[in-house]
Amino acid sequence: MLRMMLSERQFLDLTLDEGRTLSRAFTAVAHDWRRTDLIYLSPVGSDAEFSAAVTQQGLQVATPDGVHRLNWDDVTELAERLAVE
């Protein structure tokens, strides 16, 4: 298991395969954001779901506290951290 931290209070527990899946999705949209409008994952290890709208500026992640915005540099960094060997 791994924990994807969006902020001090916003996180998602993922299996290694779920982390790799999100890593690949983040990498793909960072290279060409026009290919999709949404990234969604219902993780096994969390009660929460991951849902993010893809925009020209980055991702808008839906959280219980409202929208959490990630610019493309943030998305790329998160993709690298989730790419577990």
Side-chain angles (χ1 to χ4, degrees):
M1 297 291 289
L2 55 92
R3 180 164 281 181
M4 180 177 72
M5 301 292 296
L6 296 174
S7 71
E8 299 255 337
R9 296 181 346 166
Q10 298 170 346
F11 61 88
L12 208 59
D13 291 327
L14 305 166
T15 66
L16 296 179
D17 285 338
E18 290 167 343
R20 288 183 195 115
T21 297
L22 281 180
S23 175
R24 288 189 296 272
F26 292 165
T27 300
V29 297
H31 288 307
D32 189 356
W33 63 271
R34 290 176 228 89
R35 297 259 179 191
T36 190
D37 57 355
L38 182 73
I39 296 174
Y40 178 84
L41 180 74
S42 180
V44 172
S46 290
D47 291 334
E49 61 188 19
F50 179 85
S51 180
V54 179
T55 70
Q56 186 173 3
Q57 292 78 33
L59 297 180
Q60 295 181 354
V61 182
T63 73
D65 296 332
V67 174
H68 183 85
R69 289 175 175 74
L70 298 171
N71 65 36
W72 290 121
D73 289 337
D74 297 332
V75 173
T76 300
E77 179 183 336
L78 194 51
E80 290 170 359
R81 290 172 40 223
L82 290 172
V84 178
E85 293 291 325

